[in-house]
């Protein structure tokens, strides 16, 4: 909104004519008319303040007015935006199904005061942003902590104009060649603020900058979401795995099956499009198989549910078995957009050689497999394999499964990851049908 339009909106909202505003503010009526006509685009600071006082502007409205008039420094703007945030926080972008324990753990880390830099890592589409939103709501609503959200490069921040402006101002200071950490620290001061950096791999804010902010702001906490577990010994890294794989037996009832998070999420999305859809004794097995094939990844389950408008359950089940990556992409996916298959392929292609090699080898095993078996098939020392598996678990390409009868940890490679890779020449692997075709060294 341009300055003249904003002035007219706020003046009318206050029930003031141009003459009345001139009388209350001591600003000439000619200046007010010129401002509303767009003849004056950068009024003097004193004029801006007099008009704001006369119109009774407070909080976010005053901040918006001063920002639009170009008469507030970045530090002043951030200070006011932080205090101007409405008390009611934003709502998550959909249900956080099956994440109660993860939310409780994340809130514990953020509230403990011991871990002031928390990094939530995991696959694309696993629900990192959604979980962070739920945590922000609780932190803001229950603890009164101010939340500042820096979005990744693909989406705007949640909330209204105030949060949008706050993200823009903070991002502007941190996006400089030499980040203005001192200015930002001055604006935050000793306030209890949670800064969320959603998609650290796209915002490109280095950890050293985040650490400098923490050093200068004693009550600041930072939550980063990322597909890449950046090494940082001072940060607490919390991996977010896909939803638990659903189980089914001959004695399972529809009620028992639908109580499982992956099934519940898939079914709720299907029923938004097809309210008449319900589970039957004969269809339970297919639904469980679909959700297991899609690894319990929330975005993949939601995409597969969207296909129910054009495919029957039998057809979706058949596609899931033949090419699950087709189902993992929304039917109305925009041309040129980045689908889950490409994001997974990027994660795989960015692995270190020893990690890529191990992923290739364990893709030939039947899940679940213990570290000892992975060590044998890869012909590598057990300690080396354990380090590589640790990295693959953090990236979400491998998940923990039930331990063996002897109490040994077991793991399994994601079905979607297996669909993207297939054995090629000895000592290497390459992308599957939906991949980039790049040969990754082992």
């Amino acid at each position: 909104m341009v300055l003249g339009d904003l002035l007219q909106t706020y003046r009318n909202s206050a029930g003031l004519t141009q003459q009345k505003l001139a009388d209350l503010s001591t600003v000439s009526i000619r200046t007010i008319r010129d401002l509303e006509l767009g003849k004056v685009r950068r009024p003097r600071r004193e004029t801006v303040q007099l008009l704001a006082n006369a119109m009774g502007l407070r909080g976010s409205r005053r901040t918006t007015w001063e920002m639009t008039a170009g008469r507030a420094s970045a530090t002043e703007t951030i200070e006011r935006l932080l205090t101007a945030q409405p008390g009611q926080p934003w709502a998550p972008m959909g249900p956080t199904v099956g994440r109660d324990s993860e939310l409780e753990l994340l809130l514990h880390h953020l509230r403990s005061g011991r871990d002031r830099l928390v990094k939530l890592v995991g696959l694309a589409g696993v629900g990192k942003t959604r979980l962070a939103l739920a945590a922000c709501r609780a932190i803001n609503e229950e603890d009164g902590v101010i939340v500042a959200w820096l979005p990744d490069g693909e989406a705007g921040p949640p909330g209204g104009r105030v949060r949008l402006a706050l993200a823009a101002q903070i991002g502007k200071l941190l996006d400089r060649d030499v980040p203005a950490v001192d200015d930002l620290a001055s604006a935050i001061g000793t306030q209890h603020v949670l800064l969320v950096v959603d998609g650290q791999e796209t915002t490109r804010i280095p950890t050293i900058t985040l650490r400098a902010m923490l050093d200068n702001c004693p009550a600041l906490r930072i939550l980063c979401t990322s597909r890449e577990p950046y090494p940082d010994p001072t940060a607490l890294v919390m991996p977010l795995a896909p939803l638990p794989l659903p189980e089914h037996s001959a004695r399972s009832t529809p009620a028992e099956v639908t109580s499982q998070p992956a099934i519940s999420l898939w079914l709720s999305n299907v029923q938004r499009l097809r309210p008449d859809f319900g589970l039957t004794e004969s269809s339970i097995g297919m639904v469980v198989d679909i959700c297991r094939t899609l690894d319990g990844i929330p975005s993949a389950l939601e995409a597969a549910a969207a296909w129910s408008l054009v495919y029957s359950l039998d057809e979706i089940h058949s596609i899931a078995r033949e090419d699950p990556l087709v189902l993992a992409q929304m039917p109305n996916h925009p041309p040129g957009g980045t689908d889950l298959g490409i994001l997974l392929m990027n994660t795989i292609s960015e692995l270190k050689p020893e990690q890529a090699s191990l992923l290739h080898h364990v893709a030939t095993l039947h899940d679940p497999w213990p570290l000892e078996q992975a060590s044998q098939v890869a012909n590598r020392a057990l300690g080396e394999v354990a380090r590589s598996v640790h990295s693959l678990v953090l990236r979400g390409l491998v998940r923990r499964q039930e331990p063996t009868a002897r109490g040994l940890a077991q793991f399994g490679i994601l079905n979607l990851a297996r669909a993207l890779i297939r054995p090629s020449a000895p000592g290497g692997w390459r992308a599957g049908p939906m991949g980039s075709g790049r040969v990754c060294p082992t």
Side-chain angles (χ1 to χ4, degrees):
M1 184 177 288
V2 297
L3 183 61
D5 293 337
L6 189 63
L7 174 57
Q8 188 172 11
T9 298
Y10 285 165
R11 177 176 61 76
N12 291 334
S13 178
L16 300 174
T17 63
Q18 290 181 339
Q19 183 61 59
K20 187 64 174 176
L21 179 57
D23 294 340
L24 290 174
S25 65
T26 70
V27 175
S28 71
I29 191 170
R30 179 177 177 179
T31 299
I32 293 172
R33 287 173 179 164
D34 287 346
L35 281 168
E36 292 192 359
L37 290 172
K39 294 180 179 180
V40 177
R41 300 189 179 184
R42 189 172 173 82
R44 294 187 303 166
R45 182 185 294 272
E46 181 184 8
T47 300
V48 171
Q49 293 175 346
L50 287 171
L51 290 172
N53 293 338
M55 292 185 291
L57 299 182
R58 300 285 186 274
S60 62
R61 288 161 65 89
R62 186 175 187 117
T63 300
T64 302
W65 165 247
E66 293 185 351
M67 283 177 55
T68 306
R71 287 304 181 183
S73 67
T75 301
E76 290 173 334
T77 299
I78 292 172
E79 286 177 353
R80 291 172 184 168
L81 287 169
L82 286 171
T83 58
Q85 289 200 76
Q88 183 64 26
W90 51 77
M93 301 175 297
T96 50
V97 176
R99 294 301 192 190
D100 291 347
S101 59
E102 289 93 339
L103 178 58
E104 183 179 354
L105 180 60
L106 179 56
L107 287 172
H108 169 74
H109 292 322
L110 293 173
R111 287 168 168 160
S112 68
R114 181 182 60 188
D115 303 302
R116 295 175 58 211
L117 177 57
V118 179
K119 299 196 174 184
L120 188 63
V121 300
L123 280 176
V126 80
K128 301 183 294 295
T129 297
R130 194 169 294 182
L131 183 61
L133 281 168
C136 288
R137 183 179 181 86
I139 286 284
N140 180 272
E141 202 170 46
E142 300 170 14
D143 302 356
V145 173
I146 300 168
V147 178
W149 184 287
L150 290 186
D152 64 20
E154 301 171 359
R161 187 188 307 173
V162 174
R163 295 191 180 99
L164 181 65
L166 181 59
Q169 292 295 319
I170 293 177
K172 193 181 300 182
L173 289 179
L174 295 179
D175 197 35
R176 299 178 182 177
D177 292 335
V178 179
V181 174
D182 291 341
D183 290 342
L184 186 53
S186 175
I188 295 174
T190 59
Q191 297 182 86
H192 288 272
V193 174
L194 172 62
L195 174 63
V196 182
V197 182
D198 187 29
Q200 191 182 3
E201 71 277 351
T202 55
T203 54
R204 303 296 181 187
I205 299 176
T207 298
I208 190 171
T209 299
L210 301 178
R211 295 300 316 175
M213 290 170 58
L214 291 171
D215 290 340
N216 286 278
C217 304
L220 174 67
R221 283 159 279 181
I222 299 176
L223 170 63
C224 298
T225 71
S226 177
R227 297 191 296 270
E228 176 67 25
Y230 297 101
D232 181 2
T234 62
L236 185 142
V237 176
M238 178 179 164
L240 186 63
L243 295 172
L245 295 178
E247 299 294 339
H248 172 55
S249 69
R251 296 188 299 274
S252 297
T253 66
E256 290 171 336
V257 173
T258 55
S259 67
Q260 300 180 55
I263 302 292
S264 175
L265 180 62
W266 185 84
L267 189 60
S268 66
N269 278 276
V270 170
Q271 290 176 337
R272 287 194 189 101
L273 302 172
R274 295 176 53 191
D276 60 327
F277 183 88
L279 281 185
T280 64
E281 297 288 348
S282 60
S283 66
I284 289 176
M286 285 192 291
V287 172
V288 170
D289 200 25
I290 290 167
C291 294
R292 289 184 66 89
T293 302
L294 296 173
D295 297 303
I297 297 175
S299 69
L301 296 174
E302 291 165 0
W307 285 105
S308 64
L309 272 182
V310 293
Y311 290 131
S312 68
L313 181 61
D314 292 89
E315 289 172 314
I316 291 175
H317 183 237
S318 177
I319 295 170
R321 291 196 162 203
E322 294 173 8
D323 193 350
L325 286 162
V326 170
L327 290 180
Q329 179 176 317
M330 282 285 185
N332 58 349
H333 186 72
T338 304
D339 63 56
L340 181 59
I342 292 175
L343 291 172
L344 286 175
M345 190 66 245
N346 290 342
T347 298
I348 293 171
S349 65
E350 290 167 2
L351 294 174
K352 293 180 180 179
E354 63 272 17
Q355 297 162 1
S357 173
L358 183 66
L359 190 67
H360 161 71
H361 286 296
V362 298
T364 65
L365 300 176
H366 292 291
D367 294 338
W369 38 265
L371 291 176
E372 187 177 43
Q373 188 178 6
S375 173
Q376 292 171 353
V377 72
N379 194 27
R380 288 168 52 190
L382 188 61
E384 295 178 9
V385 167
R387 282 191 289 273
S388 291
V389 169
H390 182 272
S391 296
L392 294 173
V393 169
L394 283 182
R395 287 167 173 80
L397 296 169
V398 165
R399 68 191 303 163
R400 286 181 60 91
Q401 297 195 10
E402 289 296 319
T404 67
R406 293 188 295 151
L408 299 178
Q410 293 194 111
F411 305 88
I413 182 174
L414 293 193
N415 291 316
L416 294 181
R418 184 180 273 112
L420 279 168
I421 60 176
R422 58 188 173 87
S424 60
W429 62 267
R430 61 186 177 189
M434 290 190 63
S436 63
R438 289 171 290 183
V439 176
C440 298
T442 61

